[in-house]
Amino acid sequence: MKKIMMLTFFITLIIPLSLFAEEKTLLSKGLESGGYGGPVIKIKSVAGDAGVLAGGRGGWIINHTFVIGGGRYRLRSDLKVDGNDLNLRYGGLEFEYIGLSDEVLHFTVHTGLGRGWVSYENTDFSHRFFYIEPTVNGEINIVGWFRINAGVGYLWVDGIRDMPGLSTGDIRGITGTMVFKFGWF
């Protein structure tokens, strides 16, 4: 009888304690999803002149922390290289880590990678290129559905060859970025 009472005591003690134990996993709270989209403005040196690029990006936000998405950008400034109007476009996959997302002011680390295209207007000179663009940003939560993000990055490209007056180094360089994010965060 004493053994049964001791066993009952331990079972009554162990079962409730095990209910309070919470298993730690990567997705312990389940999967929370959100998303955003919005316009992007970039400023960078292109072929020695200040250039403004405009475009957009969007993505799926996973657990308020990781973003998988895409973006596309185009040179909007009227830049000439050797008397030719320059066209520059690029876009591809984008990944972002959002640190401390619920804080009013927080940081993000963003990387875009994909393909681009550069050409001279009304000529046969054009090239496709590969790019990768890591960026570090500060972000401010304005309201629940709107955030402003600004940062600095580096556009690395490879594949521009045999274009008169233009080389890979004329496109590579530091980039200032501003993003207006609209969505469910």
Side-chain angles (χ1 to χ4, degrees), residues 86-120:
L86 182 66
N87 293 316
L88 172 66
R89 297 179 183 148
Y90 65 94
L93 289 173
E94 301 199 348
F95 304 95
E96 188 171 23
Y97 171 77
I98 305 169
L100 306 172
S101 175
D102 292 335
E103 298 295 325
V104 173
L105 184 61
H106 54 274
F107 72 95
T108 74
V109 178
H110 176 272
T111 298
L113 62 107
R115 304 252 333 159
W117 175 74
V118 63
S119 71
Y120 293 138

Side-chain angles (χ1 to χ4, degrees), residues 24-95:
K24 305 270 188 218
T25 63
L26 182 61
L27 300 174
S28 61
K29 295 180 185 175
L31 182 67
E32 294 184 27
S33 285
Y36 79 88
V40 179
I41 298 170
K42 298 184 180 198
I43 298 173
K44 72 173 305 334
S45 175
V46 178
D49 291 320
V52 175
L53 292 101
R57 83 170 49 145
W60 171 40
I61 304 170
I62 304 164
N63 288 340
H64 309 281
T65 307
F66 299 104
V67 180
I68 300 170
R72 186 158 172 83
Y73 313 98
R74 180 179 181 181
L75 181 66
R76 303 309 294 177
S77 302
D78 293 326
L79 299 182
K80 292 188 183 296
V81 175
D82 286 349
N84 296 304
D85 291 328
L86 182 66
N87 293 316
L88 172 66
R89 297 179 183 148
Y90 65 94
L93 289 173
E94 301 199 348
F95 304 95

Side-chain angles (χ1 to χ4, degrees), residues 2 15-16 22 32 51 57 65 69 73 78 80 96 104 123 125 129 131-132 134 147 160 164-165 171 174 180 185:
K2 193 174 182 183
I15 290 176
E22 184 177 331
E32 294 184 27
R57 83 170 49 145
T65 307
Y73 313 98
D78 293 326
K80 292 188 183 296
E96 188 171 23
V104 173
T123 71
F125 294 110
F129 59 86
Y131 81 93
I132 186 165
R147 296 178 175 189
I160 300 172
I171 307 297
I174 295 174
F180 300 93
F185 302 97

